[in-house]
């Protein structure tokens, strides 16, 4: 956890998933200092097919579904891009 440099009333908490010793997905979640509740999260990962960096936002309540969020986001992007 660390304080947010832009919004001092927020604390950031980080989660990640590793594959073969490398970080494959990183999540940054925000919580208010006042009530200690986690609110919103952002996920960051690479879309290897295009060497593209992807950022997706979602509610902390959805964090247990992080793998589905990443996979659905990848499928959505790939379905919209012409090869």
């Amino acid at each position: 956890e660390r304080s947010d440099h832009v919004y001092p009333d927020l604390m950031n908490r980080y989660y990640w998933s590793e594959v073969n010793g490398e970080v494959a997905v990183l999540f940054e979640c925000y919580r208010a200092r006042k009530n200690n509740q986690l609110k919103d999260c952002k996920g960051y990962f690479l879309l290897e097919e295009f060497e593209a960096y992807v950022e997706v936002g979602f509610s902390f309540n959805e964090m247990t579904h992080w793998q589905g969020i990443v996979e659905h986001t990848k499928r959505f992007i790939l379905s919209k891009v012409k090869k």
Side-chain angles (χ1 to χ4, degrees):
E1 284 189 333
R2 72 168 173 80
S3 294
D4 190 291
H5 296 293
V6 178
Y7 301 102
D9 288 341
L10 292 178
M11 291 291 291
N12 299 354
R13 182 172 285 174
Y14 297 90
Y15 304 90
W16 60 91
S17 174
E18 294 182 16
V19 175
N20 297 325
E22 294 185 9
V23 175
V25 182
L26 173 69
F27 299 97
E28 180 178 34
C29 299
Y30 310 97
R31 71 172 174 86
R33 287 182 190 261
K34 294 178 185 178
N35 61 12
N36 211 22
Q37 288 185 327
L38 287 161
K39 297 278 184 186
D40 298 320
C41 298
K42 286 186 180 176
Y44 308 95
F45 58 92
L46 290 176
L47 185 60
E48 294 178 13
E49 292 83 350
F50 300 106
E51 296 182 7
Y53 166 79
V54 178
E55 179 179 322
V56 61
F58 54 94
S59 165
F60 180 74
N61 296 336
E62 300 298 319
M63 187 59 150
T64 57
H65 307 290
W66 70 268
Q67 291 171 312
I69 291 169
V70 170
E71 287 306 313
H72 285 39
T73 302
K74 285 181 178 180
R75 273 191 257 152
F76 176 78
I77 293 169
L78 292 173
S79 74
K80 302 298 178 187
V81 176
K82 293 181 181 179
K83 294 183 180 181

